[in-house]
């Protein structure tokens, strides 16, 4: 994950794979339905980016951000993390996909993104559920609309 780190990066993207459709209570958003498949989350950290990302990669943590409700769930695999100097909202819009969960991760968004979590589609990955992230890396079957954040 250390490759390609940009010095001035304040934006990060997490590509997530949901091994199954989920219904999860997400803080103030209430009960939310998430289709299975590929998702990309775009966030920002003006400082302590490493700590923020490390936190996203831990399952066991208090639920603080919307994203914690996904990354803390065993059915969710963090497939990749990338960092960008590009402003978070512009990056988010360029990631493609569609908004499924309005308001997710966008509490501070002033650009009208609608959501900082976008669904890229349900392209299945063989052995994803049993093999975890390592098998995903060996089968880089990206969504049709292209792998974002690379
Ligand atoms: Zn935004």
């Amino acid at each position: 994950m250390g490759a390609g780190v940009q010095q001035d990066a304040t934006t990060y993207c997490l590509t997530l794979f949901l091994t199954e459709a989920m219904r999860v209570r997400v803080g103030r958003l209430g009960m939310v339905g998430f289709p299975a498949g590929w998702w990309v989350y775009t966030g920002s950290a003006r400082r302590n980016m490493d700590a923020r990302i490390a936190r996203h990669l831990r399952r066991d943590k208090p639920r603080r951000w919307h994203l914690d409700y996904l990354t803390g769930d065993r059915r969710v695999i963090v497939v990749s993390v990338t960092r960008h100097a590009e402003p978070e909202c512009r990056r988010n819009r360029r990631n493609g996909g569609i908004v499924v969960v309005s308001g997710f991760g966008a509490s501070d968004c002033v650009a009208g993104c609608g959501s900082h979590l976008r669904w890229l589609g349900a392209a299945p990955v063989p052995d994803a559920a049993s093999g975890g992230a390592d098998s995903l890396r060996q089968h880089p079957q990206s969504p049709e609309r292209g792998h974002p954040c690379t």
Side-chain angles (χ1 to χ4, degrees), residues 73-91:
D73 192 295
R74 299 183 57 82
R75 295 167 289 182
V76 177
I77 298 166
V78 178
V79 179
S80 68
V81 181
T82 55
R83 305 175 189 216
H84 309 272
E86 190 175 7
E88 130 180 66
C89 292
R90 195 197 307 169
R91 182 74 231 180

Side-chain angles (χ1 to χ4, degrees), residues 42 88-90 92-93 105-106 108-116:
T42 306
E88 130 180 66
C89 292
R90 195 197 307 169
N92 181 46
R93 286 152 189 251
D108 299 330
C109 176
V110 291
C113 293
S115 176
H116 278 205

Side-chain angles (χ1 to χ4, degrees), residues 33-147:
F34 297 89
W38 296 91
W39 296 77
V40 57
Y41 174 86
T42 306
S44 68
R46 299 216 166 271
R47 63 192 80 164
N48 299 326
M49 170 84 83
D50 290 340
R52 176 76 67 88
I53 288 173
R55 186 179 195 280
H56 285 322
L57 297 175
R58 277 202 309 275
R59 290 235 190 268
D60 196 16
K61 59 197 160 193
R63 305 295 197 252
R64 177 174 169 190
W65 287 290
H66 289 156
L67 188 61
D68 294 344
Y69 294 87
L70 290 180
T71 56
D73 192 295
R74 299 183 57 82
R75 295 167 289 182
V76 177
I77 298 166
V78 178
V79 179
S80 68
V81 181
T82 55
R83 305 175 189 216
H84 309 272
E86 190 175 7
E88 130 180 66
C89 292
R90 195 197 307 169
R91 182 74 231 180
N92 181 46
R93 286 152 189 251
R94 289 209 301 122
N95 281 338
I98 59 171
V99 171
V100 175
V101 184
S102 281
F104 192 104
S107 304
D108 299 330
C109 176
V110 291
C113 293
S115 176
H116 278 205
L117 178 73
R118 302 177 73 95
W119 186 53
L120 301 175
V125 176
D127 304 326
S130 58
D134 288 340
S135 74
L136 282 173
R137 289 197 191 92
Q138 289 158 22
H139 302 277
Q141 190 172 337
S142 301
E144 284 298 312
R145 275 155 288 207
H147 202 288

